[in-house]
Amino acid sequence: MAIPSFSAFHDEGINLEGLLEILSPENNLVLADDMMVSDGNGIILRVSETYEKNFGFAHDSIVGKSAFDLEADGTFTPCITAEVIRRRKKISATQTINHTHKNVMTVGIPLFDANGELKYAVCFNTVSMEQINSIQRNYRRMQDSLQHYSQEIAELRTRATSTNLLFKSAPMQRLWTLMQNTANTRANILITGETGVGKSAIAKAIHKISNRANGPFIEVNCAVLHENLIESELFGYEKGAFTGASSSGKIGKIELANHGTLFLDEIGELPAHIQSKLLQLIQEKTIERLSGTQKIELDFRLIVATNRNLEEAVQRGLFRSDLFYRLNVIRIHIPPLRQRKEDIVPMAHQFLARFCGEYNKSLTCSPRFLAFLEQYDWPGNVRQLENLMERLVITAQDPILDIPALPLEYTADASAPAELFPGGTLAERMDAYEAQIIRDSYQRCGTTVAVARELGISQATAARKIAKYVTARA
C-alpha cells in the first residue's frame, strides 16, 4: 500500500510525520506492503492484500473487527495495534500471528488529528523472524567465508608478489607455514625430496620472503662441479693459487653470498675434504681463499638440499655426521607430486599461461586432459609437468589440449583409466565430454549462475545440465 492511498487523511488534519518517518529509506524496511490500519478505537479499517496473503487471512476476514478482540482470542500475541492505542506512541516489537505460527517484526505508529486526538493506528510488518534468523545465518556464513578467503587471498598475494609458488594441497600449505615461520631466522635449512619436486624453487622462495631478500641468492649445484675445482669455486682463490688461475684471483660462491642466502643443492655429493671445510665455515662463519692467509668474515643464510637419504649416507660413512646435524636444524620435506594431486591442475594452468606467453600461443585444456594430469604418477614431479606443458605448447595443433596431444610415452601408460578414453558413438562420446565439462565447472564454481557465466550458457541450461550430469549421479 503506497503513501498516496493515505492522501485523504490530510483533509482530516492527520499528522503523517510518524508514517513518513517509518517509510524513510534509511529504515530499510522489508515487506512494507504488509500493512494494517485501524481507527482510534481499534476497529480495523483496512488490511493490504499482501498482508492477507502472507499471513493466511481470507479477504476482509479481519476488517471491521476490534484489535482488542483479536488480541483476546489469540489471533495476535501481542497485538501491536492495541498496544499503540493503549500507549499512544510508536512501538517496534515482535508480533506472533498464531494461526500461521509466524513471528514478525512489526512497527506500529499512532496518527493524531489537529486536536491531538488519536484517529488511526498503522502497523507495518517488516520482516519475519524466520527471515531474520536466515539472514543472520547467511551473514555468519558470509563472515566465515570472507575471513577464510581474506586469509587465503592475503597468503596468495604474499606468495605471488614474492615467489612463483602455486599450490592448494594441505601438505604444501603446512610447508608454506613452516617457511614463513623460519624465513627470518638464522637457522640452517635442509630441504629434502625427490628429483624435480622443486627444491630450488622452495629455497628461492624462502630467500624472497626473508629479511635477506635484498641480498644475493647464490645457488651452487654440488653435483656438477668437478672435484678438482669445487674448492676454488666455493671458497675462491688468490692470484697465482694454481696453474691456470686468474691473475687477479677470484671470489668464491660462498663469499658472493655475503648478506644474502647461499643455497647448496645436491649437498650429498660433496667430497669428504669439502665437507670438513664446510663444517668449519658453519661453525666460524669465516673463510680463507685458496693460497690466502686472511680470514674473511661472512654473514649469510645457509640452505642445502638433497634427494639422497643423508641419514643412510652417514651410517655408511659417506657423509659426516657432525655436518649432517649442523645442516639438519630445520628440515623441509617436499612431498612428490603424486602425493599432492590438488596442486597438479593449478600448476599446469600456470605453466600453460607462461609458455603461451613465451611462444605467443592461445591454448586451453579439456576436462579429460586435466583429469589425466591428475591421475598420472609424475615420476619426474614438477619438472616433468613443466617440461610436458612447454612441449605441448610448442607442438599442439589444436587450441584445446586433449589426450591425443600427449606424447606416446604418456598415452601408452596402461594405468590410464578407461573413462578418459570413452568409446561409443559420436553422440555418446560428445555426451560424455559435455558431462565432464559440466561436472568440472560445477565443482569449480559451485552455483548454476557461476557455471552459466563461465560456460556462456543460460542459467536455465546450466541448471538442467547440472541436474542431468551432477545431481542425478550424486
Side-chain angles (χ1 to χ4, degrees):
M1 186 176 295
I3 295 176
S5 62
F6 291 96
S7 58
F9 295 167
H10 285 287
D11 297 334
E12 302 176 30
I14 300 300
N15 180 358
L16 295 181
E17 289 183 3
L19 176 60
L20 296 176
E21 176 189 347
I22 291 297
L23 291 177
S24 63
E26 57 265 24
N27 284 323
N28 294 317
L29 295 184
V30 181
L31 301 180
D33 284 345
D34 292 344
M35 192 180 303
M36 175 189 292
V37 181
S38 75
D39 65 16
N41 297 315
I43 302 302
I44 297 172
L45 303 177
R46 189 180 304 177
V47 177
S48 66
E49 292 182 7
T50 55
Y51 188 103
E52 294 173 334
K53 178 180 178 182
N54 289 336
F55 301 113
F57 291 105
H59 181 58
D60 286 342
S61 61
I62 57 175
V63 171
K65 293 185 178 181
S66 166
F68 297 97
D69 290 342
L70 293 174
E71 182 180 53
D73 67 19
T75 300
F76 301 107
T77 306
C79 179
I80 301 302
T81 297
E83 282 295 306
V84 169
I85 293 172
R86 278 193 288 261
R87 297 164 62 179
R88 297 173 60 85
K89 68 177 184 178
K90 179 178 125 180
I91 294 174
S92 297
T94 301
Q95 178 175 255
T96 302
I97 301 174
N98 288 300
H99 75 284
T100 57
H101 306 290
K102 286 190 175 182
N103 299 316
V104 293
M105 285 298 296
T106 302
V107 178
I109 59 170
L111 299 178
F112 301 93
D113 64 15
N115 298 319
E117 293 294 324
L118 178 65
K119 295 289 291 184
Y120 300 98
V122 182
C123 287
F124 302 92
N125 290 328
T126 59
V127 60
S128 71
M129 294 307 296
E130 290 80 1
Q131 288 174 297
I132 291 175
N133 292 334
S134 176
I135 291 169
Q136 288 177 332
R137 287 193 299 270
N138 290 335
Y139 178 68
R140 284 193 294 268
R141 282 197 294 267
M142 288 175 63
Q143 279 188 314
D144 292 341
S145 297
L146 181 62
Q147 181 178 7
H148 171 76
Y149 289 126
S150 295
Q151 292 173 345
E152 188 172 286
I153 289 170
E155 187 170 289
L156 288 171
R157 184 180 291 115
T158 300
R159 200 187 309 157
T161 54
S162 59
T163 77
N164 291 321
L165 299 182
L166 181 66
F167 48 78
K168 292 175 60 178
S169 64
M172 292 302 291
Q173 294 287 352
R174 290 192 293 270
L175 186 147
W176 174 252
T177 300
L178 177 60
M179 290 166 59
Q180 289 180 306
N181 291 339
T182 58
N184 289 330
T185 68
R186 297 175 60 88
N188 299 327
I189 295 178
L190 171 61
I191 303 174
T192 61
E194 296 178 5
T195 298
V197 292
K199 296 186 286 293
S200 177
I202 293 296
K204 290 175 183 175
I206 294 172
H207 172 73
K208 287 182 179 179
I209 63 175
S210 76
N211 51 16
R212 296 177 179 269
N214 293 327
F217 178 85
I218 304 299
E219 181 173 354
V220 180
N221 190 328
C222 302
V224 301
L225 293 177
H226 192 279
E227 186 173 346
N228 296 331
L229 297 176
I230 189 169
E231 185 172 4
S232 62
E233 283 294 316
L234 288 176
F235 293 89
Y237 57 84
E238 300 291 351
K239 60 181 180 179
F242 51 87
T243 303
S246 171
S247 59
S248 59
K250 182 179 179 180
I251 296 177
K253 300 290 188 183
I254 297 173
E255 195 172 342
L256 288 173
N258 197 25
H259 304 300
T261 300
L262 175 65
F263 174 52
L264 301 180
D265 199 5
E266 304 296 350
I267 190 70
E269 307 302 321
L270 281 180
H273 71 286
I274 300 299
Q275 292 181 30
S276 298
K277 295 201 67 171
L278 181 60
L279 177 62
Q280 182 180 4
L281 168 67
I282 293 172
Q283 292 172 336
E284 300 178 3
K285 285 295 175 74
T286 62
I287 64 166
E288 289 184 17
R289 298 176 186 169
L290 267 66
S291 297
T293 57
Q294 181 183 0
K295 288 188 177 295
I296 303 172
E297 291 188 3
L298 299 175
D299 172 28
F300 62 87
R301 172 71 174 280
L302 180 62
I303 303 176
V304 302
T306 182
N307 60 2
R308 294 179 56 182
N309 186 329
L310 288 188
E311 288 93 337
E312 182 180 319
V314 168
Q315 292 176 355
R316 295 173 57 191
L318 300 176
F319 200 86
R320 292 182 62 116
S321 60
D322 47 3
L323 177 59
F324 169 73
Y325 294 121
R326 285 283 188 174
L327 298 175
N328 191 34
V329 179
I330 297 172
R331 173 78 71 96
I332 292 179
H333 179 73
I334 308 174
L337 201 51
R338 62 183 174 274
Q339 294 179 7
R340 46 187 178 104
K341 292 184 178 293
E342 303 96 319
D343 298 334
I344 294 174
V345 169
M347 284 193 293
H349 284 305
Q350 182 186 49
F351 294 143
L352 180 64
R354 192 178 91 207
F355 293 125
C356 280
E358 289 182 13
Y359 296 104
N360 196 26
K361 294 280 191 77
S362 180
L363 302 174
T364 188
C365 303
S366 75
R368 70 171 186 169
F369 176 81
L370 295 176
F372 174 85
L373 297 185
E374 284 187 311
Q375 62 81 37
Y376 189 72
D377 270 348
W378 301 107
N381 291 294
V382 178
R383 187 179 301 146
Q384 182 185 6
L385 175 60
E386 182 179 15
N387 291 342
L388 173 65
M389 297 309 295
E390 181 175 17
R391 178 176 176 177
L392 292 177
V393 169
I394 295 171
T395 61
Q397 301 298 311
D398 193 288
I400 300 178
L401 295 179
D402 204 353
I403 299 297
L406 287 165
L408 183 60
E409 60 264 30
Y410 287 86
T411 56
D413 185 358
S415 65
E419 58 266 25
L420 293 176
F421 309 96
T425 66
L426 177 61
E428 290 170 339
R429 296 185 186 193
M430 291 295 290
D431 188 67
Y433 187 55
E434 181 181 71
Q436 184 61 49
I437 293 173
I438 295 296
R439 285 195 293 269
D440 180 68
S441 180
Y442 186 65
Q443 182 180 14
R444 184 166 55 253
C445 299
T447 67
T448 58
V449 174
V451 169
R453 187 184 301 114
E454 180 180 71
L455 299 181
I457 58 179
S458 69
Q459 184 182 1
T461 300
R464 186 174 64 254
K465 292 186 181 295
I466 289 170
K468 177 181 177 181
Y469 297 122
V470 181
T471 310
R473 302 187 184 193

